[in-house]
Amino acid sequence: MTIKSLLLTGALAVATLSIASAKSYDIVLSNPTKVANVNLKAGEYKVKLEGSNAIFTDVETGKTFTAPAKVENAPKKFDVTAVDTQKKADIDEMQAIELGGTNTKIEFSDSE
């Protein structure tokens, strides 16, 4: 029984480390913004990558939104996290996010 307990504890520790290592980035949207097939209201969000998806968490409500994304690597690191949007009709559409401190750029496309 003791060995099973140790194995279970070890497995939980490894799982916790992998979850904790998923880095998130803070962004602020000043206007309602469309990201791929998701509409986000203006406000603060935490963004993290999970596979080929970007997960947006509303800081105020804790609600999460998932958008399909394409990850690109730039030749040099970005100094700050920056959101690239384009105004289409009456709403901002997110084109990309450059993740500060990394050379990672998350790109989005309209899936409609």
Side-chain angles (χ1 to χ4, degrees):
M1 186 92 150
T2 305
I3 291 179
K4 286 183 182 180
S5 296
L6 287 174
L7 290 174
L8 180 60
T9 303
L12 288 173
V14 169
T16 302
L17 286 175
S18 65
I19 291 170
S21 68
K23 176 133 174 73
S24 65
Y25 298 85
D26 298 321
I27 64 168
V28 176
L29 301 176
S30 54
N31 298 311
T33 303
K34 183 176 180 183
V35 183
N37 57 355
V38 177
N39 290 314
L40 301 175
K41 66 177 184 149
E44 293 181 51
Y45 292 86
K46 291 197 174 290
V47 180
K48 68 179 177 178
L49 280 171
E50 287 185 6
S52 61
N53 289 314
I55 310 297
F56 294 84
T57 303
D58 186 321
V59 171
E60 185 179 309
T61 65
K63 188 172 180 181
T64 61
F65 305 88
T66 303
K70 179 180 173 188
V71 178
E72 295 286 327
N73 289 317
K76 67 176 197 165
K77 287 185 177 184
F78 300 108
D79 293 329
V80 296
T81 298
V83 178
D84 178 22
T85 61
Q86 183 176 7
K87 189 80 161 176
K88 289 190 179 177
D90 59 344
I91 191 165
D92 288 348
E93 288 190 11
M94 190 177 298
Q95 306 297 309
I97 303 174
E98 298 171 351
L99 301 178
T102 74
N103 64 338
T104 303
K105 182 176 185 177
I106 307 170
E107 295 183 342
F108 303 97
S109 63
D110 187 7
S111 62
E112 291 186 333

